[in-house]
Amino acid sequence: MGLIDLDKIWRGKWIMDADFHGLLPINLFHKELEEFEQPEHREDLKNHHMLIRKKFVIDQSFQRAKIDITADDYYKLSINGKFVGQGPAPAYYFNYYYNSYDISDLLKQGENVIAVHLYYQGLVNRVWNSGDYRQGMIAELFVDERLLLATDSNWKYKITKAYKSGGITGYKTQYLENIDFNLLEKGWKGINYNDSDWERVFVHYSDDHKLYLQPTPSVEIYEKEARLIKKLAEGHYLIDFGQEITGQYIMELEGKRGEVIEIRHGEELLADNENRVRYNMRSNCKYQEYLTLSGGKDELEFFDYKAFRYVEIKTLVKNSSALKNKSFKALVRHYPFDDKHTQFESSSQLLNDIWRICKNSVKYGVQEGCLDCPGREKGQYLGDTVITGVSHFYLTGDLRLYKKAIQDFALSSHISAGLMAVAPGGFMQEIADYSLQWPSFLLRYYQFSADQEFLSEMYPIVEKLLEYFKRFQREDGLLEDVSEKWNLVDWPEEFRDDYDFPLTRSASRGCHNLINALFLGMVKTINQLRDILGVEYENRFGKLKSAFIKSFYNKKKKLFVDAEGSLHSSLHANVLPLLYDLIPEEKEDIEDTIVNLIRKKRFSCGVYMAYYVLKALSKAGEYSLIVDLLLSEDKHSWGNMIKEGASTCFEVWGKEQKWNTSLCHPWASAPVIVIIEDLIGLKLSWADRQKIEFEPHISDEVKKINFKIKTDSGEIEFEYKNGRHKAKFP
């Protein structure tokens, strides 16, 4: 099912540390709520840093060279001491990705060396499919289309002990790295390094990875200068990079052998001391690590990445001169991102600031996948990706990651036909709300790409998903007792507007509004997919809609209630019926009632559900209210994030509104989509890229907008001023 399957026949062998030989793969896959006994994993094989080298000779001139490589869990590749790339993107072993790099400029005639830092984490989390004993790598190097070198038993390795565990942080997300430079193999990436005492790798002939060329590029890596370096005392500095970023802090050190440096990362400063970093972060990450110096020149290179803005470093030795402040930098990483692909500026500074933090949250929160956050979980959630994927496409014009994400979740049907909430990843979590949105995710991709071949490939998963949820249908077709998956509604739970239905992770008994609204929305979407593909079907949407109205519509209030038998009408229970066209015949009157409910309740919801609120208002033509909500500085608003100093979007509306708030959460990037699609009104016929138009709906609060976006045929420019607009097309 690989997105790009070149039917590549690998002549290289899967190589690994001999300590993993004979260990059968651990099965991590199971439905979340089924009884499952997790097999034990050897502690000594966790947090496993393996250095691999291979010298080789090119004995004639050449024009072009490339290397194909992958590893489990993750590699960083250098050739002749120069960094090449890292990867692969997280994937299931049965659809595992390899990367291909053009290395023509890095090789030379004569002696060369490949150096790979291979990391196997061993934890079961949302990041990788680790903890399963699948460890190792495979590579092939081609010169002028000829296979010159491939992994085999002649490659050499050493297990480095330099990266000592400082404990596990996040949701079992990563090991903190207490680096001892005395144990680091300095110069090991270079040609002249003496590896005579290194061992030969073990060849794993029965490896079960099924490899496909990764359909997305490797993450972009570049240095960033600090915005502010503040000397607090001798050997004690505070560094501010100006905004939340993702990556690693880097620097050069030269101090006494055995000298210890403490280093702290954080998203913010302490409330009672603005010279100190809050390293025990509100997001459940504790970024406090220690470095032990070798006595010579040391270069700090963490392996894993963090989400941070500030760094505090302090020597634990008096009168130390180990810290070289001119070397204080960050090594930023994220999916390739052209800052000038999409540009927006308006007469409203608040709207400009909201656009900025949304753009930044997508830029730094999207790595090899559309992450919920790049710190605490580093996982790709389906519900988050429905929003982030669209924002990312509008900001980059790149659909490759969007397409890959659709397939990542389709592949999770291997575990459950109802799809997993996190994919790929070893953490087994299921959320009904998210699974019900996967077909709309797929339809959106088709509308952007007109890629009917991929739609056909994914369609069987659509039917399996529908059959899965049919198991919970009662006689009238509505879903009842969807207890096998978590019924989320919104998150965190205090943002559910007192939704009147018992919601737990382990059981949701009865028939309630939101899951059924999403189910009907899914059925409607599936019908659209069938129409596109020419699939015959019985259209049951009308009957389901009648059952929904009968069960949840309160004629007296002209509102929908949360559940059968309830008299409470939450924001959530009314937004989705408006969005999915589930309201009774007397449409206008009821629309007005629901819109008035939204006007009263405003964002009585989480940031995630706010996207659907804004989209429902657009469907009702309530653009003035959209602008009012976007420009609000209520407690629940993007304006409140700005007031609290956000440089990327928060997980919730304010730092103190959740017990473990992440300060970089791209699921909050809805304004990017709404500004482009609903306010500016960009209309693109993606099957016919020549048909482009604008249908703006901009209220008087915004006097001026300048907008640019690149397309396949060139850049589109849109200008709005005092009620008039003009557009320039390529």
Side-chain angles (χ1 to χ4, degrees), residues 701-719:
E701 292 89 339
V702 182
K703 304 297 183 185
K704 185 178 179 181
I705 287 177
N706 289 306
F707 174 76
K708 296 180 182 180
I709 187 168
K710 296 177 183 177
T711 67
D712 293 344
S713 53
E715 187 174 69
I716 303 171
E717 297 182 35
F718 171 85
E719 182 179 322

Side-chain angles (χ1 to χ4, degrees), residues 460-602:
I461 306 298
V462 172
E463 288 290 353
K464 288 179 182 178
L465 180 63
L466 180 59
E467 287 300 314
Y468 171 86
F469 279 103
K470 281 183 177 179
R471 296 162 45 203
F472 303 102
Q473 283 185 297
R474 61 188 192 184
E475 191 173 343
D476 64 358
L478 296 185
L479 303 185
E480 186 175 49
D481 297 345
V482 185
S483 56
E484 191 173 90
K485 293 180 183 286
W486 184 18
N487 292 207
L488 181 73
V489 174
D490 206 346
W491 193 249
E493 55 192 289
E494 59 265 33
F495 286 74
R496 292 172 178 159
D497 191 29
D498 297 323
Y499 190 79
D500 187 18
F501 187 79
L503 298 166
T504 66
R505 289 177 185 267
S506 58
S508 293
R509 302 291 181 183
C511 184
H512 68 104
N513 179 311
L514 190 131
I515 286 296
N516 277 287
L518 288 170
F519 177 63
L520 267 66
M522 182 180 80
V523 170
K524 187 176 183 180
T525 299
I526 291 174
N527 288 346
Q528 290 178 267
L529 296 173
R530 289 164 169 166
D531 290 340
I532 294 166
L533 294 172
V535 176
E536 293 185 6
Y537 64 97
E538 178 187 359
N539 189 348
R540 299 194 68 242
F541 179 77
K543 292 181 179 179
L544 289 171
K545 177 177 175 179
S546 296
F548 183 89
I549 292 169
K550 182 179 179 181
S551 295
F552 304 118
Y553 181 62
N554 185 313
K555 292 183 179 180
K556 185 176 180 180
K557 297 169 64 176
K558 293 187 179 180
L559 291 170
F560 290 88
V561 295
D562 300 346
E564 285 187 324
S566 172
L567 295 176
H568 185 258
S569 296
S570 66
L571 179 71
H572 304 68
N574 287 275
V575 163
L576 292 185
L578 178 58
L579 180 62
Y580 295 138
D581 194 23
L582 305 180
I583 58 182
E585 293 300 322
E586 56 271 29
K587 183 174 179 180
E588 288 186 16
D589 198 13
I590 298 169
E591 274 192 3
D592 289 344
T593 308
I594 294 176
V595 168
N596 285 333
L597 180 77
I598 298 173
R599 185 173 283 110
K600 176 184 176 182
K601 288 181 174 287
R602 300 179 72 77

Side-chain angles (χ1 to χ4, degrees), residues 294-306:
S294 68
K297 291 184 178 180
D298 298 319
E299 293 185 8
L300 175 60
E301 183 181 353
F302 288 112
F303 188 87
D304 211 340
Y305 71 93
K306 301 176 177 72

